[in-house]
Amino acid sequence: MSSLTLSRRTFLKTSAVAAAAVGLSAGAESALAAAPYTAVDSAGEVKRIRTCCRGCGKMECGVWVTVENGRAVKIEGDESAPHTMGSCCNKSVSSLQACYHPDRLRYPMKRTNPKGEDPGWVRIGWDEALDAIVEGIQQVKDKYGGEALFTMGGTGRIWCMSPYAGYGPWFMTPNTSVAWQVCKGPRHFASALTSEYNHSWSATVERPPVFTIWASTPEGSNYDEAGRSVIDEAMQADTFISVDPRTTNLGKESDIHLALKGGTDTALALAMCHVIIENDLVDWKFVKRWTNACFLVVDDKEPSGPPVPHIFHGPTMVKTKLLTQADLQEDGSPWKYMVWDKASNSLKWFNASADQAKANPDYDPAADPECGIWEGEKPYPRYDGTGNADNWSERTFAGQWGEANVREGHAQCWMPELQDFEAIDPATEGSFEVTFADGSKHTAVPVWQKFAERCAEYAPDKSAEITGVPAEKVTEAALVYGTRKDPRWGNGGIMYQLAVEHHGNSIMNCRAIELLTAITGNTDGPGGQRGATKLDVNYMGNFSDQSYSKTIDTPLNHPEIMEKQLGRDKHPLFEWWALWANANSIWEAGVTGEPYPVKGAVCQSGDFMNMGNTTMAWETLQQLDFMFDIDLWHHPTSEMADIILPCTHWLEIACPRQSQGSGGALGACVPCVEPLAEARYDPEIVEELYRRVGLPWGWDENNPYPTLEEKLDYVVREVSPSWEAFVNEFQENGWWDVKKIRPDDWGTYYRFQTGFMKKAYTEEPTASNVIPGFNTPTMKQEIWCTIMETFHGAEDALPDYRPNPDSRDRNPELWDEYPVQCLTGRRIPVYFHSEHRQLPWCREVWPVPRVEINPEDAAEWGIEQGDWVWIESPHGKIRETADLYYGIPRGVINCEHTWWYPEMPAPEHGWRYSAVNQLVNNDIDDPHCGSAIVRGYPVKVYKATADNSPFGNPCPCTEDGTEIIHDASDARLKDWAPVYEGRDQ
């Protein structure tokens, strides 16, 4: 496919060709040729529009939408999208029912009844609604201060992400309750601590020879790769390893299944690292030069270090026991970390000064000949390329084109040869006496030695007692994973996903798994841990989640505001991360008023059921003075709002889209149909609110409120002359492979060596930002984590298995009463988290929540297939239907999450019947990132009967006996049949 180099003049000459590619009828025009931000006019004809599905909120599946007489009538996979292979799931197809659903919000609404009752919604105009929102938020700020406000955000659809950062300049609050905290955020958090922000993603589209899925069911729903594509990846692999407590649909096809106990991932990962170390399968060329394995630890050193700003927040004064030149001599540099050189039998330094520029504006890394250099080694090549479309890496570094097993349509990457040391040989083990500047003598040992000792604590025979995985299975998996199929590079990364984030030890889990991939040479290599697709179009929320203005103020600029961030007192790393408040702490403050009242909120594409204790969260929403919601539907969260604003569906919107993971694709959401009634596009709604409060939204001081077309032109400016040109080329040629568009960034492996890993997404490459290394204080992939050490002490610098306070190990008495481990959160093929419960196609297939129970447990408990059962914890109880499944271990159940029933009355819509997070302990969470413990907690399970169920009915029902929809034949499903007429009314 072409490389997005059309000029505007060239575009005018080629637009006719693009138009022909879109239409199925003769003379059809390009979908967006006349007006780039409105839907295609297909009156009297049929058109086929290439776009990007967002039916599940996480994927970037390429799809074709057939539009007949202005109505979307068919959705099918787009074969030009090599990352999804032309697949299209039932969630995508059911978007036809979502777009035309009779219950979609059509107009702004305001409540007329008190919170907790049926809201009594009445229609109002947009001006009245927006004015009421501005007034309501200001009243809360005036009475309680900005910190009394918080934002709620859910799924990552790019255009509805303002709760993550966009409302900060207006609300001036440090408090966000965003699903990110329990959904890939901990992975991003942990990888930012260890190597690079969001480097948890692995390039599975390159079909590594050893395909490892850890805690995920991507065959049903995932990021970038899912369904057909991930099945292809698993089936073509020489070995498929599944790490999961349960046998998943795809996992049953695995060659090796490590059925660990939920929440013991760190112990298993470190056990595998031990096997790698003991069998000398370590990629020493990478480990010695590009991790801090050789840096020296001095246990009795008073922690100290340089001021190192983080990419999101800072500066932070690093406090580490790693030995620096400043410890050894009066004029020594705190940026120079010491190693013991076996070649000269002396100390040498590595100069990690690149980030000094963020703390000192007068410092330029390009002017510092020692920046990023090992003492005694030659300097790295300084960037002298011509920009983003250059092939500087290929011209500069010896290497070859990669030989990844890519699918047709994917390009290969340039593969630089990993450089080795020329003059020095840093030690990885030993004990060395060093003399400090004050004359005192100390003992220093390499980080690697301490890491190896930590891994030995979890050797397979020891880890088996913790994880339940037999030692021989751990050894087998580690040897298969670590023994290279090709001596030039590792066997591939690890697709580790959501479940590792939910047991109260998420950061330790993620760091341990990442280090397993690192020491085996899978960092930024073929099929390895490559992170998010690096391209300057957008990543996640950059299209609309916050103001583009460089002059706008934010809470991050005000330490006195950020100090009030809820949860920071219990989670010191929040000072460094700063990107969310703690959801548990928000709910607690809302209920108790401590440390201050929480009285106002906005919700956008989110809900209160995704983390923390649902009951406490509901109580917080109920006592708010003011809240507004932007969404497609009435749902339990929106029923607690004072104002609801209707937003557009993905079939109605325009937005560029790149892979958020390592899929390496670029495409677009292209409007297929006109918006429903008065529904508006999220970015336009938020921009209008900014206008009303006098805050700039645009990048140009002379144009603070750009049109949507201007914004679309702006976000694609680096790859296309206009949004119109972008869409027309997309219609004609399909998805782009970002390896071709950005050859030095996404199109090159080992960017830690070429220098392109440190460069930010939106930066033009220069000698000052193309610097070898990682975005960590040491510029290395950190086995010994200096930021973790700074805030939590040296005991947390290495990953370690830390069971949460409610685990069986730490609270056995609790498990005496509640003896069953409750897992939850698996992907349901027809649903995405709390979505689609009102879509007939989905609800017919999956009308009620199911809890997986081992048949032998079920027999013991007197439970049969399809029975309603109670699941109870000390914090609440719910009902789900029994699904007997031998793939779940005995003593463990697997519940479904975020259930509510649209057919049940407002305001609750039946969430109390089955929303699983009612069982969650709101008082405990991950000590580092605060992620709620929403899996692996203790419960008891028993059959629901007429005697122990409200109103004598095991099936959830209202007081008048109206049951939820629990059968595909329920006539109420017909009430949700699509409505096609009157969409403009």
Side-chain angles (χ1 to χ4, degrees):
M1 139 154 231
S2 58
S3 59
L4 275 179
T5 57
L6 284 176
S7 67
R8 291 181 183 273
R9 180 172 295 180
T10 304
F11 160 70
L12 293 175
K13 293 180 180 179
T14 60
S15 58
V17 178
V22 178
L24 294 178
S25 58
E29 296 181 353
S30 172
L32 297 185
Y37 49 88
T38 59
V40 59
D41 179 7
S42 67
E45 57 187 348
V46 178
K47 291 188 177 180
R48 199 165 177 247
I49 303 169
R50 174 175 274 136
T51 186
C52 170
C53 177
R54 301 301 287 153
C56 80
K58 293 298 180 190
M59 286 293 291
E60 290 77 41
C61 289
V63 294
W64 286 106
V65 177
T66 301
V67 180
E68 182 176 2
N69 294 323
R71 179 192 303 174
V73 297
K74 184 178 183 181
I75 298 173
E76 55 191 324
D78 176 6
E79 68 286 348
S80 82
H83 59 300
T84 50
M85 300 179 66
S87 61
C88 179
C89 78
N90 41 29
K91 293 183 287 295
S92 178
V93 174
S94 67
S95 292
L96 295 173
Q97 292 193 328
C99 183
Y100 295 102
H101 200 286
D103 290 346
R104 265 191 66 187
L105 292 170
R106 305 169 73 90
Y107 315 104
M109 311 284 281
K110 72 174 181 181
R111 76 165 44 251
T112 59
N113 293 329
K115 286 185 173 67
E117 300 179 10
D118 184 302
W121 296 112
V122 297
R123 175 182 174 180
I124 58 175
W126 271 98
D127 285 338
E128 181 182 350
L130 295 172
D131 287 342
I133 288 170
V134 171
E135 180 182 358
I137 294 298
Q138 190 61 46
Q139 286 179 351
V140 173
K141 290 178 68 175
D142 290 344
K143 186 173 183 180
Y144 301 103
E147 66 271 17
L149 296 163
F150 71 97
T151 64
M152 295 176 64
T155 190
R157 291 194 175 91
I158 305 177
W159 54 83
C160 58
M161 302 299 286
S162 287
Y164 285 71
Y167 293 102
W170 171 20
F171 288 10
M172 275 299 171
T173 179
N175 295 321
T176 59
S177 173
V178 288
W180 194 25
Q181 191 176 9
V182 293
C183 179
K184 77 181 175 290
R187 278 168 276 160
H188 293 172
F189 194 121
S191 62
L193 286 166
T194 307
S195 56
E196 291 289 311
Y197 170 68
N198 70 35
H199 255 241
S200 56
W201 305 117
S202 61
T204 55
V205 290
E206 295 176 351
R207 301 194 291 191
V210 177
F211 183 62
T212 307
I213 298 176
W214 196 306
S216 183
T217 53
E219 67 273 19
S221 177
N222 202 10
Y223 311 90
D224 283 9
E225 302 88 52
R228 176 184 172 189
S229 56
V230 80
I231 292 171
D232 170 79
E233 291 153 8
M235 294 300 100
Q236 64 79 44
D238 293 341
T239 307
F240 169 27
I241 300 174
S242 173
V243 184
D244 203 295
R246 54 190 290 275
T247 302
T248 66
N249 289 334
L250 182 56
K252 73 180 186 299
E253 307 297 332
S254 64
D255 300 289
I256 301 173
H257 178 202
L258 304 181
L260 78 169
K261 296 177 183 176
T264 63
D265 307 80
T266 299
L268 179 59
L270 293 179
M272 293 179 71
C273 286
H274 176 75
V275 175
I276 299 295
I277 295 168
E278 288 296 294
N279 289 274
D280 198 22
L281 298 174
V282 176
D283 185 341
W284 288 115
K285 187 177 288 190
F286 173 78
V287 166
K288 294 178 72 171
R289 192 175 183 95
W290 296 108
T291 78
N292 65 0
C294 300
F295 290 12
L296 298 173
V297 180
V298 180
D299 287 329
D300 59 353
K301 169 191 166 179
E302 184 66 27
S304 62
V308 181
H310 181 54
I311 52 176
F312 301 112
H313 196 45
T316 294
M317 178 64 76
V318 170
K319 298 178 181 179
T320 178
K321 290 182 179 289
L322 294 180
L323 183 66
T324 71
Q325 190 186 59
D327 299 315
L328 302 174
Q329 57 192 64
E330 293 296 340
D331 60 347
S333 169
W335 304 92
K336 291 182 175 179
Y337 292 89
M338 309 307 296
V339 301
W340 186 264
D341 174 28
K342 294 190 294 184
S344 64
N345 204 32
S346 66
L347 290 168
K348 299 288 186 180
W349 48 255
F350 172 78
N351 186 21
S353 60
D355 285 343
Q356 188 175 346
K358 299 174 183 176
N360 177 10
D362 296 328
Y363 177 80
D364 181 3
D368 180 0
E370 293 185 341
C371 174
I373 304 302
W374 295 86
E375 185 179 8
E377 294 287 303
K378 66 182 181 181
Y380 63 83
R382 300 285 173 160
Y383 179 77
D384 61 358
T386 59
N388 285 320
D390 195 10
N391 286 279
W392 177 80
S393 301
E394 182 187 354
R395 291 188 286 104
T396 304
F397 292 88
Q400 65 183 72
W401 286 104
E403 297 178 9
N405 185 21
V406 298
R407 301 189 193 104
E408 182 180 355
H410 275 279
Q412 296 284 357
C413 278
W414 177 249
M415 185 84 181
E417 292 180 8
L418 270 185
Q419 297 172 342
D420 207 345
F421 291 106
E422 291 188 333
I424 66 173
D425 183 13
T428 57
E429 59 184 7
S431 179
F432 311 101
E433 185 178 274
V434 296
T435 304
F436 278 20
D438 62 5
S440 60
K441 296 187 181 299
H442 304 264
T443 299
V445 298
V447 164
W448 183 262
Q449 182 166 308
K450 286 186 170 290
F451 177 64
E453 291 169 355
R454 174 59 52 81
C455 294
E457 296 174 17
Y458 298 98
D461 58 332
K462 301 174 184 177
S463 70
E465 299 175 7
I466 299 170
T467 68
V469 181
E472 60 274 16
K473 293 285 288 186
V474 176
T475 300
E476 177 191 10
L479 290 176
V480 167
Y481 181 69
T483 303
R484 293 187 172 189
K485 303 289 185 177
D486 189 310
R488 295 170 293 179
W489 47 70
N491 287 334
I494 293 175
M495 180 187 279
Y496 62 104
Q497 298 287 352
L498 204 65
V500 300
E501 302 173 325
H502 291 172
H503 291 270
N505 48 14
S506 57
I507 300 302
M508 290 295 189
N509 286 344
C510 294
R511 288 190 60 227
I513 296 170
E514 181 175 337
L515 292 183
L516 173 58
T517 70
I519 68 173
T520 50
N522 289 295
T523 298
D524 203 32
Q529 302 302 127
R530 301 210 68 207
T533 301
K534 204 168 184 180
L535 180 68
D536 42 12
V537 172
N538 64 61
Y539 173 69
M540 289 298 290
N542 292 356
F543 172 66
S544 69
D545 100 319
Q546 55 190 301
S547 167
Y548 297 87
S549 174
K550 295 180 180 179
T551 64
I552 201 163
D553 198 9
T554 76
L556 290 175
N557 297 330
H558 298 273
E560 73 281 3
I561 293 177
M562 297 308 299
E563 287 173 359
K564 298 178 181 179
Q565 190 177 49
L566 291 169
R568 182 176 289 202
D569 55 337
K570 298 178 181 177
H571 304 85
L573 268 171
F574 278 21
E575 180 182 343
W576 163 81
W577 182 246
L579 294 180
W580 57 59
N582 193 38
N584 287 359
S585 301
I586 291 175
W587 308 143
E588 183 178 357
V591 171
T592 67
E594 298 294 336
Y596 51 77
V598 171
K599 290 294 182 180
V602 57
C603 182
Q604 196 168 351
S605 189
D607 65 55
F608 68 99
M609 295 184 288
N610 55 28
M611 56 182 164
N613 184 274
T614 309
T615 308
M616 183 175 284
W618 181 261
E619 292 174 5
T620 293
L621 299 185
Q622 190 165 335
Q623 59 84 47
L624 296 178
D625 288 357
F626 184 81
M627 173 180 163
F628 71 100
D629 183 73
I630 304 174
D631 216 317
L632 296 163
W633 319 95
H634 290 293
H635 54 93
T637 309
S638 70
E639 302 287 20
M640 300 303 279
D642 296 275
I643 300 290
I644 300 180
L645 302 178
C647 64
T648 46
H649 184 264
W650 70 263
L651 286 169
E652 303 161 350
I653 64 96
C655 182
R657 183 65 187 182
Q658 74 194 62
S659 293
Q660 62 175 304
S662 298
L666 171 66
C669 281
V670 179
C672 302
V673 299
E674 292 293 340
L676 172 69
E678 294 185 11
R680 294 187 183 180
Y681 192 17
D682 292 77
E684 296 179 290
I685 296 172
V686 181
E687 181 178 343
E688 182 56 33
L689 288 168
Y690 263 60
R691 185 199 301 268
R692 287 173 183 260
V693 296
L695 292 171
W697 187 260
W699 54 92
D700 184 351
E701 292 183 12
N702 298 317
N703 182 23
Y705 306 106
T707 65
L708 180 57
E709 182 178 1
E710 289 171 333
K711 284 189 287 189
L712 290 166
D713 284 347
Y714 182 76
V715 297
V716 301
R717 68 194 181 281
E718 297 294 337
V719 295
S720 184
S722 69
W723 171 250
E724 187 175 31
F726 182 90
V727 168
N728 276 277
E729 189 167 355
F730 179 54
Q731 295 302 306
E732 179 180 1
N733 295 320
W735 289 71
W736 291 271
D737 186 337
V738 179
K739 291 175 182 174
K740 299 177 182 179
I741 301 172
R742 290 293 178 265
D744 282 320
D745 264 352
W746 195 246
T748 300
Y749 293 128
Y750 299 160
R751 291 164 295 165
F752 50 81
Q753 178 170 285
T754 66
F756 274 80
M757 188 166 283
K758 283 183 66 65
K759 187 189 79 66
Y761 286 86
T762 56
E763 290 181 323
E764 187 77 12
T766 69
S768 296
N769 60 31
V770 177
I771 304 169
F774 296 85
N775 277 306
T776 62
T778 63
M779 291 175 60
K780 302 299 180 186
Q781 189 162 21
E782 293 199 350
I783 295 172
W784 181 279
C785 182
T786 52
I787 293 293
M788 186 81 90
E789 178 188 17
T790 296
F791 290 96
H792 284 269
E795 59 272 18
D796 282 13
L798 295 173
D800 196 9
Y801 171 60
R802 306 275 179 81
N804 71 67
D806 275 357
S807 64
R808 194 185 302 269
D809 290 343
R810 296 181 61 184
N811 194 350
E813 294 81 7
L814 177 64
W815 289 78
D816 288 341
E817 184 174 356
Y818 300 93
V820 179
Q821 185 183 52
C822 179
L823 304 178
T824 185
R826 71 185 170 103
R827 294 296 171 263
I828 307 171
V830 295
Y831 298 128
F832 178 69
H833 297 313
S834 61
E835 297 186 66
H836 310 326
R837 300 304 195 281
Q838 65 276 76
L839 302 187
W841 287 343
C842 298
R843 198 68 184 277
E844 287 172 359
V845 172
W846 211 287
V848 292
R850 307 174 186 177
V851 52
E852 292 178 338
I853 303 174
N854 186 286
E856 294 179 18
D857 282 338
E860 181 179 321
W861 301 338
I863 294 169
E864 297 181 358
Q865 176 71 25
D867 283 347
W868 283 95
V869 300
W870 286 106
I871 304 105
E872 182 177 347
S873 81
H875 313 285
K877 64 180 184 177
I878 63 169
R879 274 172 288 180
E880 296 194 358
T881 59
D883 190 8
L884 307 192
Y885 178 49
Y886 277 109
I888 194 80
R890 292 208 64 180
V892 179
I893 62 169
N894 185 38
C895 289
E896 293 176 5
H897 65 298
T898 57
W899 265 88
W900 61 292
Y901 300 95
E903 67 273 20
M904 291 288 100
E908 294 188 356
H909 292 293
W911 70 261
R912 292 186 191 270
Y913 300 152
S914 303
V916 73
N917 281 6
Q918 293 171 82
L919 310 180
V920 167
N921 183 351
N922 205 75
D923 295 330
I924 58 174
D925 46 38
D926 181 272
H928 303 116
C929 73
S931 57
I933 299 171
V934 294
R935 303 193 196 209
Y937 45 79
V939 298
K940 56 186 174 183
V941 181
Y942 50 98
K943 184 176 179 177
T945 66
D947 292 335
N948 65 21
S949 301
F951 317 113
N953 191 346
C955 177
C957 62
T958 59
E959 294 185 20
D960 66 2
T962 302
E963 296 180 343
I964 62 165
I965 294 173
H966 55 87
D967 186 275
S969 64
D970 195 305
R972 286 172 290 180
L973 291 170
K974 297 179 180 179
D975 296 336
W976 289 336
V979 175
Y980 301 105
E981 306 303 325
R983 282 180 57 81
D984 58 346
Q985 299 175 0

